Amino acid sequence: MEKKTMSKRGLGLAQPLSSLLEQEAAGDTISNSVAYLASPTEARSGSGVSEGGGGSRVGGDTSPRGEQNSSTLSTTTSTSTLMVSTNGTRGERAGLWNPEPPQKVAKWRMKQRMKTVSVALVMCLNIGVDPPDVIKTSPCARHECWIDPLATAPPKALDAIGKALQQQYERWQSRAKYKQSLDPTVDDVKKLCTGLRRNAKEERVLFHYNGHGVPRPTTNGELWVFNKNYTQYIPLSIYELQTWMGSPSIYVFDCSSAGLIVSWFLKFAEQREKESESAAIKDYIMLAACAADELLPMNPDLPADVFTACLTTPIKIALQWFCQHSVVVKGVTPDMIDKLPGRMNDRKTPLGELNWIFTAVTDTIAWNVLPRELFQKLFRQDLLVASLFRNFLLAERIMRSANCTPVSFPALPPTYQHPMWQAWDLAADLCLAQLSTLLSDPAAEYQHSPFFTEQLTAFEVWLEFGSESKRPPEQLPIVLQVLLSQAHRLRALVLLGKFLDLGPWAVNLALSVGIFPYVLKLLQSPAVELRPTLVFIWAKILALDKSCQLDLVKDNGHSYFINILANNSIPADQRTMSAFVLAAVADDCKPGQSACLNSKLINICLASITDPHPLLRQWISLCLAKLWENCDEGKWTAIKELAHQRICVLLTDPVSEVRAAAVYALGTFMGGAGDNEQRKSIELNLAVTLPVVTADGSPVVRRELAIALAKLVRNYEENCKEVALEMIREEIRLNELRVSGAKRASKSVRARTIGSAKGLEDEDDDEAGPPSAVVSTVYGCLWKMVLSLAQDPFPAVATVAQAIVYYIHRQLQIDGHDKTMRSPSVGLLRRYAPSASSNILGIASPRARTAREATLRRTASVDEMGLNQSGNNPTIPPGPEGQQQAPADSTLPTLEVHSEFYNWAWSHFSRPSAGSEETDVTHPSYTQRVWKHEKNKNLMSLAKKNRNKRHKLDEQIAILDNESEMASLLAFHPLENLLVVTDNKDGVCVWNWLDSRKVNIFKNGNPPGTRISSIALINPCDHIRLLTAADNGVIRLWKDYTEEDAPELITAWKALPDLTPRPGPGMITNWQQQHGLLMTSGDVGIVRVWDMERELAIQDIITGSDSCVTSLASQAGKGHLLVAGCGDGSVRLFDIRTPPKYTSVITYSEHKKWVVGIAMTYLDCQIISGSLNGEVKFWDVRKTISYKTLNSRITDTTAFSVHPFLPILAVGSQQQKIQVVDFDGHDLNQIRHHEGFLGQRIGPISCLSFHPYRSLLAAGATDSIVSVYTSSVKD
């Protein structure tokens, strides 16, 4: 997540906030500093379902179990609660492999904040003489700036009015330079305007024109002023006024037919822009009192300059107008309104509170009706302009009641009937109702308006039902205004946090309305109760927009988060978000890195690197990575504190994201050593530490390793080239030995067994001798890791490593080794890849060969890796027939690989965390999950009820032609009418067995010469996934496997690196749904237990048998008992709770033939095994011998299956028959033929599978036909 901070320049609201922080002790402000505010006057997880259904979920879509769940931020006020989770969910990882474009950030930050520095007050009143073109009523509006011009002599009145107008403007912009021009001539106006423009330079100048004493503007685009003797009205061209005023500028025209001035102004501006290439008139704003054909109001109850009064004294004119139009308020006179207690900038007083409410109301109206860009320009760029436009909204309301239509440029939509005016009327009514009491008794207590409390409640209601598709909450500007009040601040922050948690769109809205200066100043508040929500808000802002690093550092805001991170007593979720914020501050920002390093952030991070909360460990690692990324100062500090060593502890962390973050941090630590031997030594020592990561089950971790290795290869390119060249030469010599060995073998007549080819390979390998000294160096270890990852089963990992290999090989060609490179070695990777990762848990496999022999296990060449296929090296463009073009002699290949992990981890904070689809009871996915769990429960109950029935499986309901050589494996979907069928290679087919329809077919992607040897459906009651295991030791996990052209590979890894494809059982798996454990074994002498949520191998159980494991089964409930059938006929019982050094708890040795299948039934202590000779034995785990033996009368068993819930089993034969018996040995059915008039004989049986709950049996044959049988007794 990224932090985003905004400079004070980016938000010009109403005025500096020096008085916002008047005194925290007074109870109303945040802290003493400067900002710009809108106030114009104030500076995981489904629990296990018993007996098989639900259980924990895996596959990259679930939150990690146990320690992976981070704590939850909870801030409670008297009226609302914010619950924001920072759960370390794994989420979908597609963004790592195919990064999505970053979220679009709204243009909330103004390019530059402007200031109105000069104000020209031009008053053409000619007191005592009415203009000739206006016939005034009697009585008539007379007051100008609340002064009766006829009460004193005209010169004194004119001077008093001018001073009063200046004072009214000074309330909104006290620092501007004011110049009055009273009853001026053309020259006076010219001198005034040019002088102010000269003084303002590039800032804005305001021109206020009061033309109540002169004729209306002409139709030729002219204003009226006077001659020197005041005997004539002299026209002043608007074109000339434009010239004198320049740009930027703002004009206020308070005269009849003022809209005519606006029209001519725009015409002249357009003409000027056409004439001048520089387009001198670019930035101008106009406010006019009425339309072109309208006269100013003459109502004696209103002042003559009612438009000016609205712009400069809004509260006073608003209250007077309200009293005149209200039928409720009685007895309130203008004099009483003038005596309204309080000060404008004191929100605790009646006048200050009304001004506060008025600001909130007008800001809210503007934000809701104006386009965002226009709102930013008029209400956030210039303090005085923002104030005038807020007051202009009031002017429109009052002037329209007098049949006048104020005009502005830019034009605003009508706002005089906006519903928020009713809220203002209510606030005014409640205040005026107390006015008499307050004036008569100064000690009377003022009852504050409930306006802000009610608006916060309205906002809270919107949050309950609002979404991105609905209209934004109109109360958002009010929520920000409420942050000014200490009484409402906590509740407002909590609600604001909830709003930001709705997603990036909500953050964009909050930024556009002006959140930044508020939350920036709040970082200076010592209030502990604000901390949880404030940290959360900053995390949400920075997750969207990280453009505020320098602003945060400039205001020393990073110290706030460093203090939180350093305090171990603060909840982990707040410290996690603080670590994220600090990572954002340091991300590609030298000042941010320096500021954090100076604050000893590395030491603080290291103190929490082993914190029990995984998300905190993850972001501690990422924060460290950003502190020393491309920063020598950070790397030396880390070396001094041994940070690189301490972070290596996380390479075996139980949470995959933490491991990935640790590898990412080590990757950013590498590089930049130059000629410094100490740095080089540290980097090479880290390279020796990294091989353990090649066996990680998470592709995210392995990809980060590949990217880190790319940096090392780049740093030590010459050494890696030497190792690669030597390995290629060794492989060429080995190939020559193999060729000569093949010739010798062809002359011999010795018998060849299944393992003879392997024996020849071993013989040749012995002749090849040990690896050279170069290959045995640390650079050899580094290059072997690269070669191992180049064979990774997950494409996103292999592609990075293959790009490294391609780069080095191309460099060798450029260096003149082209002849050697044109002889691709057949087993280049096979010879070296496994040596880095075959021993995952530090327990040598009993069946593994010597260390040197283990390096000869894989079969893949440079060509088989696909290094010459377009797309694997993005730096080389594809050529004809998909071959990559060799770079020209003048073009050097490049190695540029970049990690997406940080950005992907960053996105965690941009997603809504206060709930999800899985917990939202109104979301369809929630209903679907509930339905699946209910259906699963009902099917289990039905299966239990049907246990006493005879299930003969005598009705064939489906015949499916798999259109392959044979059906190898079968798996029923437990809840839907789906059957997964695999062939003896890598084909996967999904059938709807009810209507015999093929739903989908796709390739598993295992290499030629290998086959799928085991499958399982996991998370059946949730996001179901298909797990496939190939006989080369690779596990793959698929989602959307039922969608045509949509299967997506979620993860893939080498579960058994020592397993090689050969005739036999291949890799055997057993899935424990409740515990999220995957048992894997084969011809390797061990059973390896994988925690699928951790994506780690957690235990290696030595089988104690010299033969291969042929089948696995485990206890459905507690899950700690595991039974394995072996090729020597033994049945071995293990307890995974025992230490790894112990072998099986019990070994049953009554079978004399290969164990074809094994099962642990719904009776916890019962084991059933079937052997190759058709013998079926029943075992009790509490006894050492079988208690029952059945003879299925099948002597060549090829398939064996036991129903998980019903007391039936099936045995398949090479002799084209299936025997179905119950647990008492009674024959229920023998299947020999397909049903029909001309029933064809079934093929030799290759696989059998029962439905998890229903009385259904699927049988696959070597002729590619799959049959589905059920009992005539329906469920």
Side-chain angles (χ1 to χ4, degrees), residues 1145-1171:
V1145 177
I1146 302 176
T1147 300
Y1148 305 103
S1149 303
E1150 297 183 19
H1151 285 298
K1152 303 306 178 184
K1153 296 289 185 179
W1154 182 295
V1155 177
V1156 178
I1158 199 164
M1160 294 193 75
T1161 69
Y1162 55 87
L1163 302 174
D1164 276 349
C1165 298
Q1166 187 181 59
I1167 301 174
I1168 304 177
S1169 60
S1171 66

Side-chain angles (χ1 to χ4, degrees), residues 630-647:
N630 301 322
C631 178
D632 285 340
E633 180 188 358
K635 291 180 181 179
W636 281 116
T637 304
I639 291 172
K640 180 181 177 181
E641 302 298 333
L642 301 178
H644 57 288
Q645 295 181 13
R646 297 182 63 179
I647 207 168

Side-chain angles (χ1 to χ4, degrees), residues 262-426:
V262 175
S263 300
W264 277 102
F265 190 101
L266 296 176
K267 291 179 183 179
F268 288 142
E270 184 178 357
Q271 175 186 341
R272 189 182 297 273
E273 290 178 3
K274 290 180 179 178
E275 294 173 353
S276 174
E277 294 182 358
S278 61
I281 303 297
K282 294 180 180 179
D283 188 354
Y284 44 85
I285 298 172
M286 290 178 286
L287 301 174
C290 58
D293 56 349
E294 294 176 346
L295 295 175
L296 292 177
M298 299 184 188
N299 186 343
D301 294 331
L302 297 173
D305 63 343
V306 60
F307 183 66
T308 299
C310 290
L311 295 182
T312 58
T313 56
I315 303 301
K316 183 174 181 178
I317 186 65
L319 292 179
Q320 287 195 12
W321 182 84
F322 177 75
C323 291
Q324 295 169 12
H325 292 78
S326 174
V327 296
V328 178
V329 178
K330 302 295 183 182
V332 178
T333 65
D335 290 338
M336 295 175 65
I337 293 175
D338 288 340
K339 297 176 182 178
L340 185 66
R343 293 178 293 117
M344 294 282 282
N345 58 357
D346 186 354
R347 292 188 302 277
K348 291 184 176 181
T349 63
L351 182 59
E353 185 181 64
L354 280 178
N355 181 66
W356 186 26
I357 294 173
F358 178 81
T359 300
V361 167
T362 50
D363 238 27
T364 301
I365 293 174
W367 189 76
N368 281 282
V369 301
L370 298 184
R372 296 287 177 258
E373 186 175 353
L374 184 59
F375 176 81
Q376 291 287 331
K377 177 181 179 180
L378 300 182
F379 288 82
R380 293 295 183 265
Q381 188 183 55
D382 186 312
L383 299 175
L384 181 57
V385 171
S387 299
L388 291 178
F389 267 92
R390 286 192 195 94
N391 302 341
F392 179 79
L393 302 182
L394 173 68
E396 182 192 15
R397 188 186 193 207
I398 293 177
M399 298 289 283
R400 280 184 178 266
S401 68
N403 299 318
C404 280
T405 306
V407 178
S408 69
F409 181 85
L412 304 184
T415 60
Y416 64 101
Q417 291 183 327
H418 195 279
M420 284 303 298
W421 285 121
Q422 298 177 15
W424 161 253
D425 290 342
L426 177 59

Side-chain angles (χ1 to χ4, degrees), residues 27 127 152 210 300 441 796-797 902 1219:
I127 297 174
T152 59
N210 183 323
D441 182 8
V797 179
Y902 179 74
Q1219 192 75 27

Side-chain angles (χ1 to χ4, degrees), residues 7 12 56 68 159 191 257 311 325 514 520 548 569 586 596 621 668 855 878 882 892 944 981 1040 1156 1173 1179 1204:
S7 70
S56 58
Q68 205 157 351
D159 185 61
K191 181 179 179 180
S257 300
L311 295 182
H325 292 78
L520 183 61
C548 311
S569 63
C596 292
S621 301
T668 58
T855 65
L892 294 178
K944 292 175 182 178
V981 184
D1040 299 330
V1156 178
N1173 60 3
W1179 316 84

